[in-house]
Amino acid sequence: MAIITLTTDLGDKDIYQAALKGSILKLLPTVNIVDITNSVSAFNIQQAAFILKNSYHYFPDETVHLIGIDTVYNTFTKYLAIKYKNHYFVGADNGIFSLMFDEEPEDIFEINIMQDLKFLHFPLADIFVKAACHLAKGDDIEEIGLRVSGIEKKMNLQPVVEKNLIKGAVIYVDSFQNVITNITKDFFNRIQQGRRFTLYFKRNETINHLSWHYNEVPEGEKLCLFGISDHLEIAINKGNASGLLGLNLGDSVIIDFEAL
């Protein structure tokens, strides 16, 4: 069965999500629509990119991922259909793809489907849906657009290494209020080289041990671990790490390793 996933900032209180799903089902009644999330903060492409980057690969090959973030018509923004690692992505070329992909996509096409004027203010339910359904049916990506050579570039905030320090930052806070940093497991291991460390963050808080799971410490105690996204997380077992520790998006974290 064909799958179309949705990653949007449409929320669940208005008509927009229903209009989007209804439009998909009108064109492709047998498709399996899966919500990755419709609760991205309005226009927040960084948040959407983090969620989709860390979830799309759990789906079968040939899944179509429809991205509804900042899709309102803009003279300078292309609408793209992209093939990347045997998955398809349909969205606005507003920088989100460069935040998601670690490599250049196999195919990039600017969608040239004619806009239905009654959907002029909501192309997500028109052009995007038509492109996504076309791909979900297994039809050729080349039939819906013109090949282009690149995507709009935006840069993720990267951790910095200075001597025995990694300087990172908070890039995401999940619904459990776990605080996720931009320090990946591979990056940490490459710099650590087996050394002991101390993680410093706001309010002079420290952690000097990596946990394997959240219940490794008593309830209410703080911990750090590499979660499902393979990014370093700061958490409190059954607690609100972001609120209780005062950690928010953009806040700095520092890992101090013992000297070699």
Side-chain angles (χ1 to χ4, degrees), residues 49 65 67 80-82 89-102 105 151-152:
H65 304 280
I67 307 168
L80 299 182
I82 291 176
F89 299 83
V90 175
D93 187 26
N94 52 22
I96 192 168
F97 297 115
S98 65
L99 297 174
M100 288 170 45
F101 301 152
D102 295 322
I151 54 179
E152 178 73 18

Side-chain angles (χ1 to χ4, degrees), residues 7-208:
T7 302
T8 80
D9 58 4
L10 298 178
D12 57 10
K13 296 189 299 182
D14 304 307
I15 68 170
Y16 309 120
Q17 188 185 145
L20 174 59
K21 291 179 178 178
S23 299
I24 293 171
L25 292 171
K26 269 188 176 180
L27 285 183
L28 196 57
T30 60
V31 73
N32 188 6
I33 301 173
V34 179
D35 295 310
I36 291 181
T37 179
N38 293 293
S39 300
V40 175
S41 301
F43 311 114
N44 192 330
I45 63 171
Q46 287 83 6
Q47 184 184 35
F50 179 84
I51 293 170
L52 191 49
K53 178 178 182 177
N54 288 287
S55 58
Y56 83 86
H57 50 83
Y58 289 100
F59 289 86
D61 285 357
E62 309 300 319
T63 295
V64 180
H65 304 280
L66 196 159
I67 307 168
I69 309 292
D70 194 19
T71 59
V72 175
Y73 175 76
N74 182 327
T75 306
F76 306 104
T77 302
K78 304 181 184 75
Y79 299 151
L80 299 182
I82 291 176
K83 186 174 184 181
Y84 179 75
K85 294 188 175 180
N86 292 321
H87 288 250
Y88 292 101
F89 299 83
V90 175
D93 187 26
N94 52 22
I96 192 168
F97 297 115
S98 65
L99 297 174
M100 288 170 45
F101 301 152
D102 295 322
E103 304 166 14
E104 287 296 315
E106 296 109 87
D107 289 310
I108 309 171
F109 285 84
E110 181 178 357
I111 300 167
N112 63 358
I113 295 171
M114 185 67 70
Q115 170 79 59
D116 187 331
L117 292 180
K118 71 179 180 180
F119 289 104
L120 190 60
H121 65 293
F122 194 33
L124 188 58
D126 179 41
I127 295 175
F128 286 66
V129 163
K130 290 172 182 173
C133 289
H134 176 91
L135 296 170
K137 288 188 294 183
D139 292 337
D140 197 327
I141 191 173
E142 295 187 12
E143 295 174 358
I144 56 172
L146 302 172
R147 188 182 296 275
V148 293
S149 59
I151 54 179
E152 178 73 18
K153 301 292 186 182
K154 286 189 182 295
M155 293 293 293
N156 281 313
L157 186 63
Q158 298 296 319
V160 176
V161 178
E162 294 182 4
K163 295 184 179 179
N164 295 310
L165 301 178
I166 295 177
K167 295 183 177 181
V170 176
I171 59 170
Y172 190 78
V173 177
D174 72 15
S175 58
F176 295 98
Q177 299 295 292
N178 299 319
V179 176
I180 301 172
T181 75
N182 61 349
I183 301 168
T184 64
K185 187 175 184 178
D186 285 345
F187 188 86
F188 178 92
N189 289 339
R190 192 164 66 248
I191 306 303
Q192 182 192 24
Q193 298 180 41
R195 293 180 288 170
R196 290 178 294 181
F197 72 92
T198 302
L199 170 63
Y200 294 92
F201 48 96
K202 222 168 182 179
R203 300 177 181 171
N204 295 317
E205 297 275 0
T206 62
I207 301 173
N208 55 21

Side-chain angles (χ1 to χ4, degrees), residues 238-253:
K238 292 186 171 64
N240 176 342
S242 176
L244 293 175
L245 299 174
L247 283 166
N248 298 295
L249 292 176
D251 285 347
S252 297
V253 298

